[in-house]
Coordinates of all heavy atoms in Angstrom, one line a residue:
M1 N 25.2 46.7 30.1 CA 25.8 47.8 30.7 C 27.2 47.3 31.4 O 27.1 46.4 32.2 CB 24.9 48.7 31.6 CG 25.4 50.0 32.0 SD 24.2 50.8 32.8 CE 24.5 50.4 34.5
A2 N 28.3 48.0 31.2 CA 29.5 47.6 32.0 C 29.4 47.6 33.5 O 28.7 48.5 34.0 CB 30.6 48.4 31.4
K3 N 30.1 46.8 34.0 CA 30.0 46.7 35.4 C 30.9 47.9 36.0 O 31.9 48.3 35.5 CB 30.7 45.4 35.9 CG 29.7 44.2 35.8 CD 30.4 43.0 36.4 CE 29.5 41.9 36.4 NZ 30.2 40.6 37.0
K4 N 30.6 48.3 37.3 CA 31.4 49.3 37.9 C 32.6 48.8 38.6 O 32.4 47.6 39.2 CB 30.5 50.0 39.0 CG 31.1 51.2 39.7 CD 30.0 51.8 40.6 CE 30.6 52.9 41.4 NZ 31.6 52.5 42.4
K5 N 33.7 49.4 38.4 CA 34.9 48.9 39.1 C 34.9 49.1 40.6 O 34.5 50.1 41.0 CB 36.2 49.4 38.5 CG 36.4 49.2 37.1 CD 37.8 49.5 36.5 CE 38.1 49.0 35.1 NZ 37.3 49.7 34.1
S6 N 35.5 48.1 41.3 CA 35.6 48.2 42.8 C 36.9 48.1 43.1 O 37.9 47.7 42.4 CB 34.8 47.1 43.4 OG 33.5 47.0 43.0
K7 N 37.2 48.5 44.4 CA 38.6 48.5 44.8 C 39.0 47.2 45.4 O 38.2 46.4 46.1 CB 38.9 49.5 46.0 CG 38.6 50.9 45.6 CD 39.8 51.5 45.2 CE 39.7 53.1 44.8 NZ 39.9 53.3 43.4
Y8 N 40.2 46.6 45.1 CA 40.7 45.3 45.7 C 42.1 45.5 46.3 O 42.7 46.2 45.7 CB 40.8 44.3 44.6 CG 39.5 43.7 44.1 CD1 38.7 44.3 43.1 CD2 39.0 42.6 44.6 CE1 37.6 44.0 42.6 CE2 37.7 42.0 44.1 CZ 37.0 42.7 43.2 OH 35.8 42.4 42.7
K9 N 42.3 44.9 47.4 CA 43.7 45.1 48.0 C 44.1 43.6 48.2 O 43.4 42.7 48.4 CB 43.6 45.9 49.2 CG 42.9 45.2 50.5 CD 43.2 46.0 51.6 CE 42.5 45.3 52.9 NZ 42.7 46.0 54.0
Q10 N 45.4 43.3 48.1 CA 46.2 42.2 48.4 C 45.7 41.6 49.8 O 45.8 42.5 50.8 CB 47.6 42.3 48.2 CG 48.3 41.0 48.3 CD 48.9 40.7 46.9 OE1 49.6 41.7 46.3 NE2 49.1 39.6 46.6
R11 N 45.3 40.6 50.0 CA 44.9 40.0 51.3 C 46.0 39.8 52.2 O 46.1 40.0 53.5 CB 44.2 38.7 51.1 CG 43.0 38.7 50.5 CD 42.2 37.4 50.7 NE 40.8 37.6 50.1 CZ 40.4 36.8 49.1 NH1 41.1 35.8 48.6 NH2 39.2 37.0 48.6
I12 N 47.3 39.3 51.7 CA 48.5 39.1 52.6 C 49.5 40.1 52.1 O 50.2 40.0 51.1 CB 49.0 37.7 52.3 CG1 47.9 36.7 52.6 CG2 50.2 37.6 53.3 CD1 48.3 35.2 52.3
P13 N 49.7 41.2 52.9 CA 50.6 42.2 52.6 C 52.1 41.7 52.6 O 52.9 42.2 51.8 CB 50.4 43.3 53.7 CG 49.8 42.7 54.8 CD 49.0 41.4 54.3
T14 N 52.5 40.8 53.6 CA 53.9 40.3 53.5 C 53.9 38.8 53.7 O 52.9 38.2 54.4 CB 54.6 40.9 54.7 OG1 54.0 40.6 56.0 CG2 54.8 42.4 54.7
V15 N 54.8 38.1 53.1 CA 54.9 36.7 53.2 C 56.4 36.3 53.6 O 57.2 37.1 53.3 CB 54.4 36.0 52.0 CG1 53.0 36.2 51.7 CG2 55.3 36.4 50.8
D16 N 56.6 35.2 54.2 CA 57.9 34.7 54.4 C 58.2 33.8 53.1 O 57.5 32.9 52.8 CB 58.0 33.8 55.6 CG 58.0 34.6 57.0 OD1 58.5 35.7 56.9 OD2 57.2 34.1 57.8
A17 N 59.3 34.1 52.4 CA 59.5 33.6 51.1 C 61.0 33.3 51.0 O 61.9 33.9 51.8 CB 59.1 34.3 50.0
V18 N 61.4 32.3 50.2 CA 62.8 32.0 49.9 C 62.7 31.6 48.5 O 61.9 31.0 47.9 CB 63.3 30.9 50.8 CG1 62.5 29.5 50.5 CG2 64.8 30.6 50.5
L19 N 63.9 32.2 47.8 CA 64.1 31.9 46.4 C 64.8 30.5 46.3 O 66.0 30.5 46.7 CB 65.0 32.9 45.7 CG 65.4 32.8 44.2 CD1 64.1 32.6 43.3 CD2 66.2 33.8 43.7
W20 N 64.2 29.5 45.6 CA 64.7 28.1 45.7 C 65.4 28.0 44.3 O 64.8 28.1 43.1 CB 63.5 27.3 45.7 CG 64.2 25.8 45.9 CD1 64.5 25.2 47.2 CD2 64.6 24.7 45.0 NE1 64.9 23.9 47.1 CE2 65.1 23.6 45.7 CE3 64.5 24.7 43.7 CZ2 65.5 22.5 45.0 CZ3 65.0 23.6 43.0 CH2 65.4 22.5 43.6
E21 N 66.7 27.8 44.4 CA 67.5 27.8 43.1 C 68.1 26.4 42.9 O 68.4 25.9 41.8 CB 68.6 28.8 43.0 CG 68.0 30.2 43.0 CD 69.0 31.3 43.0 OE1 69.5 31.5 44.1 OE2 69.2 31.9 42.1
E22 N 68.4 25.7 44.2 CA 69.0 24.3 43.9 C 68.8 23.6 45.3 O 68.3 24.2 46.4 CB 70.5 24.5 43.7 CG 71.3 25.2 44.8 CD 72.6 25.6 44.4 OE1 73.2 25.0 43.4 OE2 73.4 26.2 45.1
H23 N 69.1 22.3 45.3 CA 69.0 21.5 46.5 C 69.7 22.0 47.6 O 70.9 22.4 47.3 CB 69.2 20.1 46.1 CG 68.2 19.3 45.2 ND1 67.0 19.2 45.4 CD2 68.3 19.0 43.9 CE1 66.3 18.7 44.5 NE2 67.2 18.5 43.5
G24 N 69.1 22.0 48.8 CA 69.8 22.5 49.9 C 69.3 24.0 50.3 O 69.5 24.5 51.4
D25 N 68.6 24.7 49.3 CA 68.2 25.9 49.7 C 67.1 26.1 50.7 O 66.9 27.1 51.4 CB 67.6 26.6 48.5 CG 68.8 27.1 47.6 OD1 70.0 27.1 48.0 OD2 68.5 27.5 46.4
D26 N 66.3 25.0 50.9 CA 65.2 25.0 51.9 C 65.1 23.5 52.4 O 65.0 22.6 51.6 CB 63.9 25.4 51.3 CG 62.9 25.6 52.3 OD1 62.8 26.8 53.0 OD2 62.1 24.7 52.6
D27 N 65.0 23.3 53.7 CA 64.8 22.0 54.3 C 63.6 21.3 54.0 O 63.6 20.0 54.1 CB 65.2 22.1 55.9 CG 66.5 22.5 56.2 OD1 67.4 22.3 55.4 OD2 66.8 23.1 57.4
S28 N 62.6 22.0 53.7 CA 61.3 21.3 53.5 C 61.3 20.8 52.1 O 60.2 20.1 51.7 CB 60.2 22.2 53.7 OG 60.2 23.4 52.9
V29 N 62.1 20.9 51.3 CA 62.1 20.6 49.8 C 62.9 19.3 49.6 O 64.2 19.3 49.9 CB 62.6 21.7 48.8 CG1 62.8 21.3 47.4 CG2 61.7 22.9 49.0
G30 N 62.3 18.2 49.0 CA 62.9 17.0 48.7 C 63.4 17.0 47.3 O 63.5 18.0 46.6
T31 N 63.5 15.8 46.7 CA 64.1 15.7 45.4 C 63.4 14.6 44.5 O 62.7 13.7 45.2 CB 65.6 15.2 45.5 OG1 66.1 14.9 44.3 CG2 65.7 14.1 46.4
F32 N 63.5 14.8 43.3 CA 62.9 13.7 42.2 C 63.9 12.8 41.7 O 63.6 12.1 40.8 CB 62.3 14.5 41.2 CG 61.1 15.3 41.4 CD1 60.8 16.6 41.7 CD2 59.8 14.5 41.7 CE1 59.7 17.3 41.9 CE2 58.5 15.1 41.8 CZ 58.6 16.5 42.0
S33 N 65.2 12.8 42.3 CA 66.3 12.1 41.9 C 66.0 10.7 41.7 O 66.6 10.0 40.8 CB 67.5 12.4 42.8 OG 67.9 13.7 42.7
E34 N 65.2 10.1 42.6 CA 64.8 8.7 42.6 C 63.7 8.4 41.6 O 63.5 7.2 41.2 CB 64.2 8.3 44.0 CG 65.2 8.5 45.1 CD 66.5 7.7 45.2 OE1 66.4 6.5 45.1 OE2 67.5 8.3 45.2
S35 N 63.1 9.3 40.9 CA 62.1 9.1 40.0 C 62.7 8.4 38.7 O 63.7 8.7 38.3 CB 61.4 10.4 39.7 OG 60.8 10.9 40.8
P36 N 61.8 7.5 38.1 CA 62.3 7.0 36.8 C 62.5 8.0 35.7 O 63.1 7.8 34.8 CB 61.1 6.0 36.4 CG 60.0 6.2 37.5 CD 60.5 7.0 38.5
W37 N 61.8 9.3 35.9 CA 61.9 10.3 34.9 C 62.8 11.4 35.3 O 62.7 12.5 34.9 CB 60.5 10.7 34.6 CG 59.4 10.6 35.5 CD1 58.8 9.6 35.9 CD2 59.2 11.6 36.6 NE1 57.9 9.9 37.0 CE2 58.3 11.1 37.4 CE3 59.7 12.9 36.8 CZ2 57.5 11.7 38.5 CZ3 59.1 13.6 38.0 CH2 58.2 13.0 38.7
A38 N 63.8 11.1 36.3 CA 64.6 12.1 36.9 C 65.5 12.9 35.7 O 65.8 14.1 35.8 CB 65.6 11.5 37.8
D39 N 65.9 12.1 34.6 CA 66.7 12.6 33.5 C 65.8 13.3 32.4 O 66.3 13.9 31.6 CB 67.5 11.5 32.9 CG 68.6 11.0 33.9 OD1 68.9 12.0 34.7 OD2 69.0 10.0 33.7
D40 N 64.5 13.2 32.6 CA 63.6 13.8 31.6 C 63.6 15.4 31.8 O 63.9 15.8 32.9 CB 62.0 13.3 31.6 CG 62.0 11.9 31.2 OD1 63.0 11.3 30.7 OD2 60.9 11.3 31.4
E41 N 63.2 16.1 30.8 CA 63.2 17.5 31.0 C 61.8 18.1 31.3 O 60.8 17.5 30.8 CB 63.6 18.2 29.5 CG 65.0 18.0 29.4 CD 65.5 18.7 27.9 OE1 64.6 19.0 27.2 OE2 66.7 18.4 27.6
C42 N 61.7 19.0 32.3 CA 60.5 19.6 32.6 C 60.0 20.5 31.4 O 60.7 21.1 30.7 CB 60.8 20.6 33.8 SG 59.6 21.7 34.2
S43 N 58.6 20.4 31.2 CA 57.9 20.9 30.2 C 57.9 22.5 30.3 O 57.6 23.4 29.6 CB 56.6 20.5 29.9 OG 55.7 20.5 31.0
V44 N 58.0 22.9 31.8 CA 57.9 24.3 32.1 C 59.2 25.0 31.9 O 59.3 26.1 31.2 CB 57.4 24.5 33.6 CG1 57.4 26.1 33.9 CG2 56.0 23.9 33.6
C45 N 60.4 24.5 32.4 CA 61.5 25.2 32.5 C 62.6 24.5 31.6 O 63.7 25.1 31.4 CB 62.1 25.5 33.9 SG 62.7 23.9 34.7
G46 N 62.4 23.3 31.1 CA 63.4 22.6 30.4 C 64.5 22.0 31.1 O 65.3 21.3 30.4
R47 N 64.7 22.0 32.4 CA 65.8 21.5 33.1 C 65.4 20.1 33.5 O 64.2 19.8 33.7 CB 66.1 22.3 34.2 CG 66.7 23.6 33.7 CD 67.1 24.6 34.8 NE 68.0 24.3 35.6 CZ 68.6 25.1 36.6 NH1 68.3 26.2 36.7 NH2 69.6 24.5 37.4
H48 N 66.4 19.3 33.8 CA 66.1 17.8 34.3 C 65.3 17.8 35.6 O 65.5 18.6 36.5 CB 67.4 17.1 34.4 CG 68.0 16.9 33.2 ND1 69.3 16.9 32.9 CD2 67.5 16.5 31.8 CE1 69.7 16.6 31.7 NE2 68.6 16.4 31.1
W49 N 64.4 16.9 35.6 CA 63.6 16.8 36.9 C 64.5 16.5 38.1 O 64.1 16.8 39.3 CB 62.6 15.5 36.7 CG 61.4 15.9 36.2 CD1 61.1 15.9 34.7 CD2 60.4 16.9 36.6 NE1 60.0 16.5 34.4 CE2 59.4 17.2 35.7 CE3 60.2 17.4 37.8 CZ2 58.3 17.9 35.8 CZ3 59.0 18.1 38.0 CH2 58.2 18.5 37.1
S50 N 65.6 16.0 38.0 CA 66.5 15.7 39.1 C 67.0 17.1 39.8 O 67.5 17.1 40.9 CB 67.8 15.0 38.6 OG 68.5 15.7 37.6
E51 N 66.9 18.1 38.9 CA 67.3 19.6 39.4 C 66.2 20.1 40.2 O 66.2 21.3 40.6 CB 67.7 20.4 38.3 CG 69.2 19.8 37.8 CD 69.4 20.7 36.4 OE1 70.0 21.8 36.6 OE2 69.1 20.3 35.3
H52 N 64.9 19.5 40.2 CA 63.8 20.1 40.7 C 63.6 19.8 42.1 O 64.1 18.8 42.6 CB 62.5 19.6 40.0 CG 62.3 20.3 38.6 ND1 63.4 20.2 37.5 CD2 61.5 21.3 38.2 CE1 62.9 20.8 36.5 NE2 61.8 21.5 36.8
G53 N 62.9 20.6 42.9 CA 62.5 20.4 44.3 C 61.1 19.7 44.3 O 60.4 19.8 43.3
R54 N 61.0 18.8 45.3 CA 59.8 18.1 45.5 C 59.3 18.5 46.8 O 59.8 18.3 47.9 CB 60.1 16.6 45.5 CG 58.9 15.6 45.6 CD 59.2 14.2 45.5 NE 58.1 13.4 45.4 CZ 57.4 13.0 46.4 NH1 57.7 13.5 47.7 NH2 56.3 12.3 46.3
L55 N 58.1 19.2 46.8 CA 57.5 19.8 48.0 C 56.4 19.0 48.4 O 55.3 19.0 47.7 CB 57.1 21.2 47.8 CG 56.8 22.1 49.0 CD1 58.0 22.2 49.9 CD2 56.4 23.4 48.5
E56 N 56.4 18.0 49.5 CA 55.3 17.2 49.9 C 54.8 17.8 51.1 O 55.4 17.9 52.1 CB 55.8 15.8 50.0 CG 54.8 14.9 50.3 CD 55.1 13.4 50.3 OE1 56.3 13.1 49.8 OE2 54.3 12.6 50.7
E57 N 53.5 18.1 51.0 CA 52.7 18.6 52.1 C 51.3 18.0 52.2 O 50.4 18.7 51.6 CB 52.8 20.1 52.0 CG 52.6 20.8 53.3 CD 52.7 22.3 53.1 OE1 52.8 22.8 51.9 OE2 52.9 23.0 54.1
P58 N 51.0 17.0 52.8 CA 49.6 16.4 52.8 C 48.7 17.5 53.2 O 48.9 18.1 54.2 CB 49.8 15.2 53.8 CG 51.3 14.8 53.7 CD 51.9 16.1 53.5
G59 N 47.5 17.6 52.5 CA 46.5 18.5 52.9 C 46.6 19.9 52.3 O 45.7 20.6 52.5
N60 N 47.7 20.2 51.6 CA 47.8 21.5 51.0 C 46.8 21.6 49.9 O 46.6 20.6 49.0 CB 49.3 21.5 50.3 CG 49.6 22.9 49.8 OD1 48.7 23.5 49.2 ND2 50.8 23.4 49.9
P61 N 45.9 22.6 49.9 CA 44.9 22.6 48.9 C 45.4 22.7 47.4 O 44.6 22.5 46.6 CB 44.1 24.0 49.2 CG 45.0 24.6 50.4 CD 46.0 23.7 50.9
V62 N 46.6 23.2 47.3 CA 47.2 23.2 45.9 C 47.4 21.8 45.4 O 46.9 21.4 44.3 CB 48.4 24.1 45.8 CG1 49.0 24.1 44.3 CG2 48.2 25.5 46.3
A63 N 48.1 21.1 46.2 CA 48.5 19.7 45.8 C 49.3 19.1 46.9 O 50.0 19.7 47.6 CB 49.1 19.6 44.5
D64 N 49.2 17.8 47.1 CA 49.9 17.1 48.2 C 51.4 17.1 47.8 O 52.4 17.2 48.7 CB 49.5 15.7 48.3 CG 48.3 15.6 49.2 OD1 47.7 16.7 49.7 OD2 47.5 14.5 49.1
V65 N 51.7 17.1 46.6 CA 53.2 17.1 46.1 C 53.3 18.2 44.9 O 52.5 18.3 44.0 CB 53.6 15.8 45.5 CG1 55.1 15.9 44.9 CG2 53.6 14.6 46.6
Q66 N 54.1 19.2 45.2 CA 54.4 20.2 44.3 C 55.8 20.2 43.6 O 56.7 19.8 44.4 CB 54.2 21.6 44.7 CG 52.7 21.9 45.3 CD 52.5 23.3 45.8 OE1 52.5 24.3 44.9 NE2 52.7 23.4 47.1
A67 N 55.9 20.3 42.4 CA 57.3 20.5 41.8 C 57.8 21.9 41.9 O 57.0 22.8 41.7 CB 57.3 20.0 40.4
V68 N 58.9 22.0 42.2 CA 59.7 23.3 42.3 C 60.7 23.5 41.1 O 61.8 22.8 41.2 CB 60.3 23.5 43.7 CG1 60.7 24.9 43.8 CG2 59.4 23.2 44.8
C69 N 60.3 24.3 40.2 CA 61.3 24.6 39.1 C 62.5 25.5 39.8 O 62.2 26.3 40.6 CB 60.8 25.3 38.0 SG 59.7 24.3 37.0
P70 N 63.7 25.2 39.4 CA 64.8 26.0 39.9 C 64.4 27.6 39.6 O 64.0 27.8 38.5 CB 66.1 25.6 39.2 CG 65.8 24.2 38.8 CD 64.2 24.1 38.5
G71 N 64.7 28.3 40.5 CA 64.3 29.8 40.2 C 62.9 30.2 40.6 O 62.3 31.1 40.1
S72 N 62.4 29.3 41.6 CA 61.0 29.6 42.0 C 61.0 30.1 43.5 O 61.9 29.8 44.1 CB 60.1 28.4 41.8 OG 59.9 27.9 40.6
Y73 N 60.1 30.9 43.8 CA 60.0 31.4 45.2 C 59.0 30.3 46.0 O 58.0 30.0 45.5 CB 59.3 32.7 45.4 CG 60.4 33.8 45.2 CD1 60.6 34.3 44.0 CD2 61.0 34.3 46.3 CE1 61.6 35.3 43.9 CE2 62.0 35.4 46.1 CZ 62.3 35.8 44.9 OH 63.2 36.8 44.8
L74 N 59.3 30.0 47.2 CA 58.5 29.2 48.1 C 58.0 30.2 49.0 O 58.9 31.0 49.6 CB 59.3 28.1 48.7 CG 60.1 27.1 48.0 CD1 60.9 26.3 49.0 CD2 59.1 26.4 47.1
F75 N 56.8 30.2 49.5 CA 56.3 31.2 50.4 C 55.2 30.5 51.1 O 54.5 29.7 50.6 CB 56.0 32.4 49.8 CG 54.9 32.5 48.7 CD1 53.6 32.9 49.1 CD2 55.3 32.0 47.4 CE1 52.7 33.0 48.0 CE2 54.2 32.1 46.5 CZ 52.9 32.5 46.7
D76 N 54.9 31.0 52.4 CA 53.9 30.6 53.2 C 52.6 31.3 52.8 O 52.5 32.4 52.7 CB 54.2 30.9 54.6 CG 53.2 30.4 55.6 OD1 53.5 29.1 56.0 OD2 52.3 31.1 56.0
H77 N 51.5 30.6 52.5 CA 50.3 31.1 52.2 C 49.3 30.3 52.9 O 48.9 29.2 52.6 CB 50.1 30.7 50.6 CG 48.9 31.5 50.0 ND1 47.8 30.8 49.6 CD2 48.7 32.8 49.9 CE1 47.0 31.7 49.1 NE2 47.3 32.9 49.4
H78 N 48.7 31.0 53.9 CA 47.6 30.5 54.8 C 48.0 29.2 55.4 O 47.2 28.3 55.6 CB 46.4 30.2 54.1 CG 45.7 31.4 53.4 ND1 45.4 32.6 54.2 CD2 45.4 31.9 52.2 CE1 44.9 33.5 53.6 NE2 44.9 33.1 52.1
G79 N 49.4 29.1 55.9 CA 49.8 27.9 56.6 C 50.4 26.8 55.7 O 50.8 25.9 56.1
F80 N 50.2 27.0 54.4 CA 50.7 25.9 53.4 C 51.8 26.6 52.5 O 51.7 27.9 52.3 CB 49.6 25.3 52.5 CG 48.8 24.4 53.5 CD1 47.5 24.9 53.7 CD2 49.2 23.1 53.8 CE1 46.6 24.0 54.5 CE2 48.3 22.4 54.6 CZ 47.1 22.7 55.0
M81 N 52.6 25.8 51.9 CA 53.6 26.3 51.0 C 53.1 26.5 49.7 O 52.3 25.8 49.1 CB 54.7 25.4 50.9 CG 55.6 25.3 52.2 SD 56.3 26.8 52.8 CE 57.8 26.9 51.8
S82 N 53.4 27.7 48.9 CA 53.0 28.0 47.7 C 54.3 28.1 46.8 O 55.4 28.4 47.4 CB 52.1 29.2 47.6 OG 50.9 28.8 47.9
V83 N 54.3 27.8 45.5 CA 55.4 28.0 44.6 C 55.0 28.9 43.5 O 53.9 28.7 42.8 CB 55.8 26.6 44.1 CG1 57.1 26.8 43.2 CG2 56.0 25.6 45.2
L84 N 55.8 29.9 43.2 CA 55.6 30.8 42.1 C 56.9 31.0 41.3 O 58.0 31.2 42.1 CB 55.0 32.0 42.6 CG 53.6 32.3 42.6 CD1 53.2 33.8 43.0 CD2 52.9 32.0 41.3
P85 N 57.0 31.0 40.1 CA 58.1 31.5 39.2 C 58.6 32.8 39.8 O 57.8 33.7 40.1 CB 57.7 31.5 37.8 CG 56.5 30.7 37.8 CD 55.8 30.8 39.1
A86 N 59.9 33.1 39.8 CA 60.5 34.3 40.4 C 59.8 35.6 39.6 O 59.5 36.5 40.4 CB 61.9 34.3 40.1
E87 N 59.6 35.5 38.4 CA 59.0 36.6 37.7 C 57.5 37.0 38.2 O 57.4 38.2 38.4 CB 58.8 36.2 36.2 CG 59.5 37.3 35.2 CD 59.5 36.8 33.9 OE1 58.3 36.6 33.2 OE2 60.4 36.6 33.2
Q88 N 56.9 36.0 38.4 CA 55.4 36.3 39.0 C 55.5 36.7 40.4 O 54.9 37.6 40.8 CB 54.6 34.9 38.9 CG 53.8 34.8 37.7 CD 53.1 33.5 37.6 OE1 53.6 32.4 37.3 NE2 51.8 33.5 38.2
F89 N 56.5 36.1 41.2 CA 56.4 36.5 42.6 C 56.9 37.9 42.7 O 56.3 38.6 43.5 CB 57.4 35.5 43.3 CG 57.6 35.8 44.7 CD1 56.6 35.3 45.7 CD2 58.4 36.6 45.3 CE1 56.5 35.6 47.0 CE2 58.5 36.9 46.8 CZ 57.5 36.3 47.5
E90 N 57.9 38.2 42.0 CA 58.6 39.6 42.1 C 57.6 40.6 41.6 O 57.7 41.8 42.0 CB 59.9 39.6 41.4 CG 60.8 38.9 42.3 CD 62.2 38.5 41.5 OE1 62.3 39.0 40.5 OE2 63.1 37.9 42.3
A91 N 56.6 40.2 40.7 CA 55.7 41.3 40.2 C 54.6 41.6 41.4 O 54.1 42.6 41.4 CB 55.0 40.7 39.0
M92 N 54.4 40.6 42.3 CA 53.5 40.7 43.4 C 54.1 41.2 44.7 O 53.4 41.9 45.4 CB 52.8 39.3 43.6 CG 52.0 38.8 42.6 SD 51.6 37.1 42.7 CE 50.5 37.2 44.2
Y93 N 55.3 40.8 44.9 CA 56.0 41.3 46.3 C 57.3 42.0 45.9 O 58.0 41.5 45.1 CB 56.1 40.0 47.0 CG 54.9 39.2 47.4 CD1 54.5 38.2 46.6 CD2 54.1 39.7 48.5 CE1 53.4 37.5 47.1 CE2 52.9 39.1 48.8 CZ 52.6 37.9 48.1 OH 51.4 37.3 48.4
E94 N 57.6 42.8 46.9 CA 59.0 43.4 47.0 C 59.5 43.3 48.2 O 58.9 43.0 49.2 CB 58.8 44.8 46.3 CG 58.0 45.7 47.4 CD 57.9 47.1 46.9 OE1 58.3 47.4 45.9 OE2 57.2 48.0 47.6
G95 N 60.9 43.4 48.3 CA 61.5 43.3 49.6 C 62.6 42.3 49.5 O 63.4 42.4 48.6
G96 N 62.7 41.4 50.4 CA 63.6 40.3 50.5 C 64.9 40.7 51.3 O 65.9 40.1 51.2
T97 N 64.7 41.7 52.1 CA 65.8 42.1 53.0 C 65.7 41.5 54.5 O 64.5 41.1 54.8 CB 66.0 43.7 53.1 OG1 64.7 44.1 53.5 CG2 66.4 44.3 51.8
Ligands
ZN101 ZN1 60.9 22.9 35.7

């Protein structure tokens, strides 16, 4: 027998977020420019790794180091930074004013 549907609501109604497009957009984001593979292309967005942000946050349950593809939102999630592609983020959140 099929399960009965229940109501779910988003746990965090508002988040502090920034659209990260290039180096300098957020002070907490570093760079992969020193990496030996800085000129390689990212398998997700196809841009060079040197154009990506490097978000280092020891203890973050997602990962200690997260790569930020240009065009991703950074947002605070339970005290740690999360990264989502703009399309996904904008499907979940609206605003930005
Ligand atoms: Zn990428």
Side-chain angles (χ1 to χ4, degrees):
M1 202 170 81
K3 287 184 175 176
K4 185 176 177 289
K5 290 189 176 68
S6 304
K7 299 269 184 248
Y8 287 84
K9 67 173 181 177
Q10 190 117 34
R11 290 194 178 121
I12 304 174
T14 59
V15 294
D16 287 325
V18 63
L19 176 60
W20 193 90
E21 294 174 289
E22 58 186 354
H23 292 294
D25 282 351
D26 190 88
D27 290 339
S28 61
V29 175
T31 168
F32 286 102
S33 299
E34 305 292 308
S35 300
W37 29 273
D39 290 332
D40 291 355
E41 287 173 4
C42 167
S43 61
V44 176
C45 71
R47 294 176 62 171
H48 290 143
W49 275 101
S50 57
E51 295 175 80
H52 286 65
R54 184 180 188 281
L55 193 59
E56 184 169 356
E57 203 177 16
N60 190 321
V62 177
D64 286 347
V65 175
Q66 297 183 79
V68 186
C69 289
S72 300
Y73 277 89
L74 307 176
F75 61 102
D76 185 88
H77 189 246
H78 297 299
F80 289 103
M81 295 298 278
S82 278
V83 183
L84 270 184
E87 236 175 57
Q88 262 178 276
F89 182 87
E90 286 165 3
M92 291 168 63
Y93 298 99
E94 61 184 2
T97 53

